[in-house]
Structures are given as structure tokens and as C-alpha cells.
């Protein structure tokens, strides 16, 4: 598979950057001519991963950095890596279970479930004390050209 | 992000607008909760018609309001959810907690 385009973005882990990250990925993914639903799926998955960096990795305190890299590939797919240098995840399997959350109250524990349902693949690698990387891909369905 | 509250008898309707994420959820939640505390409704309607984006922070907001309403036995309805938001609410199984209507 060939990479046809790429961008990288480093952001401070501020909640105001959640919408900024979504807007960037959405503008980039537009090059694959996705449907409104596909764009919305990608934005939502990115929002989940970025929010997790802010809420969990850096505990809404340390203004750590979020590293986003996105690739367009020649099979009309997008690959997105979202990395933090925060606390890491001790038990990835448990973290990915629907409804599991380590912070009670107002969190549903559905972030990973949303990423898995809206993207084709989601990979999580994490080292406690070092950080977490989420790698997600989604293939954009080819559309029949109106012009023939 | 915007919240407009309408009170009619024992019904509180919160018209939500804009993007609902972790950044905006707190303010929305506070506006809804203060209207509920003040008016003690028997029914809370959350209207999602003008919500343009929602992630799991929105699910957390809905679940949290549902839990609060359980204390007084009040009901929760979700109205006007646009297709993508309806899809999120279904994924979370919200229809088991509240009456759920799409746009
Ligand atoms: N980047 C991260 N760094 C450290 N821990 C993480 C990270 N991402 C997720 N986690 C852990 O995995 C758990 C599950 O994440 P998930 O996004 O599914 O749910 P949540 O964030 O708790 O709730 P929601 O996403 O519904 O608001 C989190 O509660 C947290 O403990
Ligand atoms: Mg999350």
C-alpha cells in the first residue's frame, strides 16, 4: 500500500483543541471524497481518542501534548495515529470493554466502543508511565461519479 | 454550544445546539441541571435537533441526567436526534433508558 498524503499535528492537551482536531481530520479526509456519514464517523472516532488523551492520559491537569499523524493510502483509506505521553493503560483489554470507565460520574465508558464501531480497525499500544498510541483505519467507499 | 430552556407545566424542555463534546458538556449539563432543580419536572425533554456533533461525552450527559431523574421518578425523552447522533444514542442503548425519537 502506498501513502499518497500525510499530515502531522502536535497540540497541547486542552479541551478546546478537541473541535480543532476534528476540523483538521475532516478537512484532510475530504480528499478521499467520503460521504457525510463517513466523515462524521471519522470525526467522532478522533474526538474519542483525543478526549481520552486529555481526560485520562494527562488527567486534565498537566498540559501534555497530543501527537496526531494521518495518512491517505492508495486503496482509498485513511490511517490515523493519535499518541500521548501520559500515564498509559495497564489493562488494555479491560479498557476496551464497552461501559468500562476508570472515572465514574459523567463518563459512559463507550469511547473505545465508538472507535471500534465507526472505524474498520482500531489498535491500541500502551506502556504504563510512557504513553499510549491509538492507530485507526477506515476505507472510504468508492462513489459512482455523476459525470460518468 | 447553546442550551435553551422551556418550561411548560411539569415539562422541562432543553433545546441543545452546536457541538456536544467533553469541552462543551459541562456547561450544557449545568444549564440542564439548574433548570431541573428549579422546576422539578415530571418529564425532561432533551431536544437534539440543532446538535451538529456529539461523541461519547454526550452519551455520558444523557446517562447522567437519566440517573438524576431516577431520584424523583421523572421521565426522560430524547427528541429530534439527527441521523449521526441517533446512531450514537442507539450504539449506547439509550432507548432502554429513555424514549428516543429521531428527526
Ligand atoms: N490515552 C489514554 N491514556 C490512559 N488511559 C486511557 C487512555 N484512553 C483510554 N484510557 C482508559 O480506558 C478507559 C476506557 O476508555 P473509553 O474511552 O472507552 O471510556 P471513557 O473515556 O472512560 O468514557 P467515555 O469515552 O464514554 O467518555 C478509560 O476510562 C481510561 O481508564
Ligand atoms: Mg473516552
Amino acid at each position: 500500500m502506498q501513502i499518497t498524503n500525510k499530515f502531522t499535528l502536535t497540540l497541547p492537551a486542552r479541551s478546546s483543541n478537541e473541535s480543532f482536531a476534528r476540523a483538521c481530520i475532516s478537512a484532510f479526509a475530504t480528499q478521499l471524497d467520503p460521504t457525510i456519514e463517513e466523515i462524521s464517523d471519522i470525526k467522532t472516532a478522533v474526538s474519542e481518542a483525543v478526549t481520552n488523551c486529555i481526560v485520562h492520559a494527562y488527567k486534565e491537569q498537566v498540559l501534555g501534548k497530543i501527537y496526531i499523524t494521518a495518512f491517505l493510502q492508495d486503496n482509498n483509506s485513511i490511517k490515523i495515529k493519535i499518541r500521548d505521553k501520559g500515564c498509559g493503560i495497564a489493562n488494555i483489554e479491560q479498557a476496551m470493554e464497552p461501559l468500562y470507565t476508570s472515572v465514574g460520574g459523567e463518563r459512559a465508558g463507550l469511547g473505545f466502543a465508538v472507535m471500534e464501531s465507526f472505524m474498520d480497525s482500531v489498535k491500541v499500544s500502551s506502556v504504563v508511565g510512557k504513553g499510549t498510541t491509538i492507530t485507526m483505519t477506515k476505507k472510504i467507499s468508492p462513489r459512482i461519479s455523476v459525470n460518468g | 454550544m447553546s442550551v435553551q430552556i422551556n418550561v411548560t407545566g411539569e415539562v422541562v424542555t432543553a433545546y441543545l445546539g452546536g457541538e456536544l463534546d467533553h469541552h462543551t458538556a459541562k456547561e450544557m449539563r449545568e444549564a440542564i441541571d439548574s433548570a431541573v432543580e428549579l422546576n422539578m419536572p415530571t418529564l425532561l425533554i432533551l431536544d437534539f435537533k440543532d446538535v451538529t456533533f456529539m461523541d461519547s461525552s454526550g452519551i455520558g450527559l444523557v446517562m447522567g441526567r437519566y440517573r438524576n431523574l431516577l431520584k424523583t421518578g421523572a421521565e426522560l425523552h430524547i427528541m429530534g436526534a439527527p441521523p449521526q447522533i441517533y446512531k450514537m444514542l442507539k450504539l449506547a442503548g439509550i432507548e432502554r433508558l429513555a424514549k428516543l425519537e429521531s428527526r
Side-chain angles (χ1 to χ4, degrees):
Chain A
M1 221 175 324
Q2 293 287 314
I3 290 163
T4 56
N5 205 354
K6 177 188 170 182
F7 85 90
T8 62
L9 180 67
T10 305
L11 291 167
R14 284 181 202 286
S15 64
S16 58
N17 279 329
E18 290 158 9
S19 64
F20 180 72
R22 292 196 296 270
C24 287
I25 205 73
S26 156
F28 186 64
T30 296
Q31 296 181 6
L32 295 178
D33 194 24
T35 61
I36 291 170
E37 183 174 6
E38 286 165 336
I39 274 281
S40 180
D41 287 353
I42 294 168
K43 278 172 77 173
T44 311
V46 166
S47 197
E48 298 298 349
V50 167
T51 302
N52 280 351
C53 298
I54 297 166
V55 174
H56 304 297
Y58 300 121
K59 309 268 186 270
E60 300 198 59
Q61 292 164 16
V62 227
L63 212 53
K65 288 199 168 77
I66 304 170
Y67 306 85
I68 303 175
T69 313
F71 308 88
L72 302 184
Q73 302 175 134
D74 63 359
N75 65 345
N76 221 47
S77 69
I78 185 164
K79 178 162 147 184
I80 306 161
K81 276 182 195 249
I82 296 173
R83 186 165 64 91
D84 65 66
K85 293 183 181 172
C87 66
I89 304 173
N91 186 340
I92 295 174
E93 207 180 315
Q94 178 189 48
M96 293 182 81
E97 258 169 44
L99 299 176
Y100 172 82
T101 180
S102 55
V103 289
E106 291 288 328
R107 307 237 68 91
L110 286 170
F112 278 123
V114 167
M115 289 182 246
E116 290 199 292
S117 146
F118 289 6
M119 301 294 281
D120 295 336
S121 74
V122 178
K123 268 186 247 152
V124 181
S125 66
S126 190
V127 179
V128 172
K130 286 256 192 301
T132 302
T133 304
I134 310 293
T135 308
M136 308 185 272
T137 61
K138 189 177 180 71
K139 204 163 184 312
I140 301 304
S141 52
R143 286 215 261 175
I144 296 141
S145 164
V146 188
N147 302 320
Chain B
M1 192 287 295
S2 66
V3 185
Q4 274 186 47
I5 304 286
N6 182 294
V7 185
T8 313
E10 295 190 328
V11 181
V12 168
T13 307
Y15 296 91
L16 312 179
E19 299 197 313
L20 206 184
D21 62 9
H22 160 249
H23 182 67
T24 60
K26 185 168 175 273
E27 223 175 301
M28 262 192 202
R29 181 172 79 221
E30 285 168 359
I32 299 165
D33 286 354
S34 64
V36 167
E37 259 172 55
L38 195 68
N39 298 287
M40 300 290 277
T42 54
L43 171 63
L44 170 66
I45 300 173
L46 299 179
D47 189 308
F48 278 82
K49 185 167 60 66
D50 294 324
V51 176
T52 53
F53 174 84
M54 183 180 92
D55 63 19
S56 65
S57 304
I59 303 294
L61 180 133
V62 172
M63 287 178 164
R65 305 298 63 68
Y66 171 77
R67 274 198 301 270
N68 285 352
L69 292 175
L70 276 183
K71 293 173 201 154
T72 59
E75 253 186 85
L76 177 64
H77 288 186
I78 312 238
M79 309 275 281
Q84 281 297 123
I85 288 161
Y86 187 75
K87 185 168 145 182
M88 283 287 292
L89 292 163
K90 286 292 275 189
L91 179 89
I94 291 296
E95 75 278 7
R96 279 172 286 161
L97 314 180
K99 189 172 142 197
L100 174 59
E101 271 176 28
S102 62
R103 186 156 67 190

